[in-house]
Amino acid sequence: MIPELPLTLVQALERHLVSATAVATSPFTGTQEVQDWGGEWWEYTIEMARTSGRDGRRLSAFLTALGGPRGRFLFRDPTIRQPDSTLAPYVSGGFQTGGMLVTAGWPAFATPLLAGDFFSLGTEAQTRLHQLTADVETDEAGMSTLSFVPRLRTAPVDGTPLEIAAPAVVLRLTAPVPTRIGRADSFLFTLAAREAL
């Protein structure tokens, strides 16, 4: 079971999508050749709120137990949650790849999500976070083809549910997290992590 980072302690975060591309510039003409290798993943910098006493030591123990880049943890980004959502969409059809996904289970003739909203697919170590690049517009059967980033790494199974209310991502620390201890037994942590692929 993958441990989950305590959300109540997140004070600020930075999230960005990284893509495996290489740019080569000609020294003679200045033209650029872009090579897209297809890899995409999320990277985070997470600043935890100041904690004190036992709470600070518990968070320190959680981060230490990860063992730096060895460990993985589940992160439910608080900035993308939709806790009031009762949507229950799912993948409609197998063998889908790329940045498009046919889904069903939406309300008919609606726009339940907008470009910029997030969803996640999978469970445990296979949990992947995706961001919509176009509004979700449904037909009379409650079906919609989603456009999103990053692209699918593996084809989801037909019927796989999409997590809308509390999308998650599996992260791995990029380095051990130092414990900064201040006056009155106060603790501060800032961690850098990337999607664990």
Side-chain angles (χ1 to χ4, degrees), residues 54-137:
R54 178 160 285 165
D55 289 336
R57 289 188 293 278
R58 282 181 182 263
L59 183 55
S60 175
F62 174 89
L63 296 170
T64 302
L66 292 174
R70 279 195 318 257
R72 298 174 299 178
F73 63 95
L74 194 65
F75 180 58
R76 295 189 188 278
D77 186 333
T79 67
I80 61 175
R81 295 175 66 113
Q82 296 189 38
D84 299 331
S85 175
T86 58
L87 298 171
Y90 55 89
V91 174
S92 181
F95 308 106
Q96 298 187 62
T97 60
M100 306 280 280
L101 186 66
V102 179
T103 59
W106 302 97
F109 297 118
T111 307
L113 295 177
L114 303 175
D117 288 340
F118 287 80
F119 68 93
S120 59
L121 277 172
T123 58
E124 289 294 315
Q126 286 72 44
T127 304
R128 297 290 176 258
L129 180 66
H130 302 280
Q131 184 176 29
L132 294 169
T133 57
D135 295 350
V136 174
E137 296 180 354

Side-chain angles (χ1 to χ4, degrees), residues 18 25 28-29 32 43 49 51 54 63 70 74 85 111 116-117 158 164 185:
V18 177
T25 304
F28 304 106
T29 64
Q32 292 184 320
E43 290 191 356
T51 56
R54 178 160 285 165
L63 296 170
R70 279 195 318 257
L74 194 65
S85 175
T111 307
D117 288 340
D158 182 33
I164 305 295
D185 203 19

Side-chain angles (χ1 to χ4, degrees), residues 139-158:
D139 63 15
E140 69 278 357
M143 296 184 71
S144 181
T145 301
L146 309 184
S147 298
F148 56 87
V149 293
R151 293 171 275 204
L152 295 170
R153 296 186 74 82
T154 58
V157 175
D158 182 33

